[in-house]
Amino acid sequence: MDTTKTEATGSRRWLALAFIGLAQLMIVLDVTIVNIALPSAQADLGISDGDRQWVITAYTLAFGGLLLLGGRIADYTGRRRAFLTGLVGFAAASALGGAAPGFGALLGARAAQGAFAALLAPAALSLLTTSFTEQRDRARAFGIFGAIAAGGGAIGLVAGGALTEYLDWRWCLYVNVPIAVLAAAGWWVLPADTRPQVRQRIDGPGAVLAVTGLVAVVYGCSEAESEGWDSALVLGLLFLGVALLTGFVLYERNAAAPLLPLRVVLSRARGSAFLGIALATVGMFAMFLFLTYYMQVVMGYSALKTGVAFLPLTAGVLAGAGGLASRLLPRVPPRALIVPGLLLASAGTGWLATVDVDTSYAAGVLPAELVLGFGMGMVMAPAINYATHGVREEEAGVASATVNTAQQIGGSIGTALLNTIATSTTADYLAERLPAAGALEERRAAGGPVPDVVKAGLVEGFSSAYTVASAILVVAAAVVAVVMNTPRPAPAKPGAPAPAPAAHLG
């Protein structure tokens, strides 16, 4: 009888993982699918070139700024309740965005999407964290989840290209509704919420400091792409963000009920896992951003063909996360997977730095995607696992939110930094070869073909950015190798589940 009950509980957990994975896929898809739809939305709604970035920025500001608060709300109100609320809200905001009659309505819908995603993402990960505690099952579950986190963006490019080309850009938002409905249908297999014995109160001052500090940093990074790192606005926002976040840390040290207990991030294992996730995201975002432009502008691919060309990356991620990391994670120290994974990702990014204007897809892009994807799969599965492992159950939501915050901050800083390097390198290259820049701009505005010299300039800029991204990943590997001292998981005793490595996580 007990065996039957245990098997039923195990099956229920794996079924829950399917619905949690759907929700995570929806969030990751939204990062890239809207980028593909943006040019069509801009033309349809009459959005100016100066305003179009806000379609992306409105989402990232709300998502990145509210993550820690969303994670704590999930801890206090119940993770299943937060999960379902986030799903319903995200679906409703997506439907409103798809039906938006103008720029203002689309902007509001995107901000609402970000706010509900900030509740949904940590709730989903914390449900996974509290559902899988035995080492072997946890490794398999986080292998699947890590593959979704690292490879879902490529699926978004395919879906975005297909929907934009064959239907309409609005379907890039509408598609979230059926996914959310399917994910919400699994509410009955999710772990039931338990009421805390003591009523918890939200850390108001900590929430204000965290939200405003994160918004300032994310906004500053987004503005750096257009304004430059030395502009007064960008420097002011970044200094303000650092000051507010420093104040947040100082306040949390003595807060009675802190929004983010510092023990969550000060553990060497968890802290290095957060760092690995943030810096790995730099490489992933660089690859998506510049490779999309390379395939569409330099190679002349359509949006759909570009999306399909990213599929080998997803295959590499699945092999690295589900094929290798999930098998080895219960047997080896986490840095034995994360460090080689970062080095492989660095090699893949470095490979892209060698791609030229006339390099074929099979000789350049394809092998680089496979190597980079495999490395990222090796990184994300163990890093997300150990970033949330060993925390107290009542802190699982805020620990999960910190994982998403690391991804968001890493992506924002990395995109702004590497885009600045790429555009400045391209500008210098063209300045030496095209003194008549005005004539070139007129030709491009008229819809003429992109001259070969411009393609060469773009590739030169991408190569410089890839080189820097590759170096960042090597530095990340070195830091994780030194800091993450978590030993190999202890072997399970015969007939007993393997102990969780909480004792090693500080």
Side-chain angles (χ1 to χ4, degrees):
M1 186 71 176
D2 291 339
T3 303
T4 304
K5 184 176 181 180
T6 301
E7 290 177 353
T9 302
S11 300
R12 192 182 179 98
R13 284 186 301 150
W14 290 108
L15 188 56
L17 172 61
F19 294 109
I20 294 170
L22 265 179
Q24 177 66 16
L25 180 62
M26 182 181 68
I27 296 171
V28 177
L29 283 177
D30 200 70
V31 174
T32 51
I33 199 170
V34 174
N35 288 347
I36 294 291
L38 186 55
S40 299
Q42 181 182 0
D44 188 23
L45 300 181
I47 303 172
S48 68
D49 288 344
D51 287 339
R52 68 183 175 188
Q53 65 159 329
W54 283 102
V55 177
I56 306 299
T57 304
Y59 177 86
T60 57
L61 285 180
F63 185 38
L66 295 172
L67 270 168
L68 287 179
L69 181 60
R72 214 43 168 158
I73 290 173
D75 284 333
Y76 289 170
T77 64
R79 299 178 188 98
R80 184 168 69 173
R81 184 180 292 110
F83 181 81
L84 294 173
T85 302
L87 276 175
V88 172
F90 195 93
S94 299
L96 290 173
F103 174 59
L106 179 60
L107 204 63
R110 290 289 288 160
Q113 275 187 307
F116 282 108
L119 180 63
L120 175 60
L125 182 53
S126 60
L127 281 170
L128 191 67
T129 299
T130 55
S131 296
F132 293 89
T133 55
E134 192 273 326
Q135 285 178 7
R136 191 172 299 277
D137 286 350
R138 184 179 173 92
R140 291 173 57 197
F142 275 84
I144 296 170
F145 193 86
I148 293 172
I155 299 174
L157 292 172
V158 178
L163 291 171
T164 302
E165 190 164 328
Y166 295 114
L167 292 174
D168 186 77
W169 68 267
R170 296 179 183 275
W171 280 97
C172 291
L173 291 166
Y174 287 145
V175 73
N176 291 325
V177 177
I179 297 176
V181 170
L182 284 175
W187 67 269
W188 59 278
V189 296
L190 298 176
D193 294 330
T194 56
R195 290 184 176 274
Q197 296 180 351
V198 180
R199 184 177 180 181
Q200 302 284 355
R201 299 179 62 183
I202 295 293
D203 174 17
V208 171
L209 288 169
V211 170
T212 53
L214 289 171
V215 165
V217 170
V218 174
Y219 184 34
C221 290
S222 67
E223 288 296 296
E225 295 186 57
S226 58
E227 300 294 328
W229 287 95
D230 57 350
S231 74
L233 174 62
V234 171
L235 290 176
L237 286 168
L238 293 179
F239 279 125
L240 175 63
V242 171
L244 289 168
L245 292 177
T246 301
F248 169 71
V249 171
L250 294 175
Y251 178 81
E252 295 297 280
R253 291 173 60 186
N254 300 311
L259 182 72
L260 174 62
L262 296 184
R263 59 178 169 269
V264 171
V265 294
L266 292 182
S267 156
R268 289 179 64 173
R270 283 193 294 267
S272 53
F274 292 136
L275 181 64
I277 290 168
L279 295 180
T281 307
V282 172
M284 184 64 78
F285 271 54
M287 186 275 305
F288 277 132
L289 176 65
F290 301 127
L291 205 49
T292 299
Y293 276 96
Y294 175 78
M295 287 193 283
Q296 291 194 18
V297 178
V298 178
M299 301 183 76
Y301 285 8
S302 66
L304 178 58
K305 189 176 181 180
T306 298
V308 173
F310 272 109
L311 287 180
L313 171 79
T314 304
V317 170
L318 291 173
L324 182 66
S326 63
R327 295 176 183 270
L328 294 182
L329 190 54
R331 306 173 187 174
V332 301
R335 64 180 170 187
L337 291 169
I338 296 175
V339 172
L342 287 168
L343 293 176
L344 277 175
S346 174
T349 309
W351 196 322
L352 288 174
T354 67
V355 172
D356 208 341
V357 174
D358 54 358
T359 304
S360 69
Y361 174 81
V365 175
L366 176 60
E369 283 187 356
L370 291 171
V371 173
L372 177 60
F374 192 85
M376 284 295 175
M378 289 179 64
V379 171
M380 297 305 287
I384 295 177
N385 186 337
Y386 276 83
T388 56
H389 209 343
V391 296
R392 301 174 182 177
E393 185 173 349
E394 66 271 18
E395 296 168 356
V398 74
S400 302
T402 308
V403 172
N404 287 279
T405 302
Q407 290 177 303
Q408 188 66 33
I409 296 299
S412 297
I413 294 176
T415 301
L417 172 64
L418 297 174
N419 192 54
T420 300
I421 293 170
T423 54
S424 60
T425 301
T426 298
D428 292 341
Y429 181 92
L430 296 179
E432 297 175 359
R433 294 162 177 79
L434 289 173
L440 174 65
E441 289 301 320
E442 291 177 6
R443 182 177 176 183
R444 293 178 67 185
V450 179
D452 290 341
V453 67
V454 175
K455 293 181 179 180
L458 289 172
V459 171
E460 189 76 13
F462 299 160
S463 179
S464 296
Y466 284 132
T467 301
V468 173
S470 182
I472 290 173
L473 291 169
V474 170
V475 171
V479 172
V480 172
V482 172
V483 176
M484 182 175 268
N485 61 340
T486 308
R488 182 176 64 182
K493 296 179 180 180
H504 304 309
L505 295 178

